[in-house]
Amino acid sequence: MIVNNVNSTAKYYSSVGAARYTNAVTAMRGVQKGDAFTPSKEAQTFSEMLQKLKNEPEVREDKVTALQQRIAAGQYSVSAENIALSLLTNRY
């Protein structure tokens, strides 16, 4: 099969494609509205919970104070089994 005038044919198709694209864009400009974002109810709830967590203090002073008092009084003890379980749980 012999193909002649490939360049002239290619020019025709590229100009037709560009014209179609330009016409489509021009037509859509009259229809398009500004972009808008509306988060879902779940996203709003998550955002609210996240904000509440960010507002919480990093250290819970009441718990720290209570534990310090128990340690100082000799009333705080943790079994070796609980320590080992906690280490393994956090490690693996």
Side-chain angles (χ1 to χ4, degrees):
M1 177 176 172
I2 299 175
V3 178
N4 294 325
N5 297 328
V6 173
N7 289 336
S8 64
T9 306
K11 289 178 187 176
Y12 169 75
Y13 283 112
S14 66
S15 66
V16 169
R20 285 184 185 162
Y21 175 76
T22 304
N23 292 339
V25 168
T26 304
M28 288 301 293
R29 283 192 181 140
V31 175
Q32 280 185 335
K33 296 180 180 176
D35 291 339
F37 172 74
T38 305
S40 66
K41 297 261 187 218
E42 291 84 7
Q44 290 173 355
T45 302
F46 179 77
S47 178
E48 290 169 5
M49 289 188 324
L50 186 60
Q51 191 59 39
K52 286 179 184 177
L53 284 174
K54 286 181 179 179
N55 291 336
E56 289 291 318
E58 195 167 319
V59 177
R60 294 171 50 186
E61 293 294 333
D62 57 334
K63 287 207 170 236
V64 172
T65 304
L67 287 172
Q68 285 175 337
Q69 289 172 353
R70 287 180 58 196
I71 292 169
Q75 299 172 344
Y76 184 77
S77 63
V78 180
S79 70
E81 183 178 312
N82 287 348
I83 292 172
L85 181 62
S86 179
L87 287 172
L88 290 174
T89 302
N90 290 331
R91 177 74 176 175
Y92 302 105

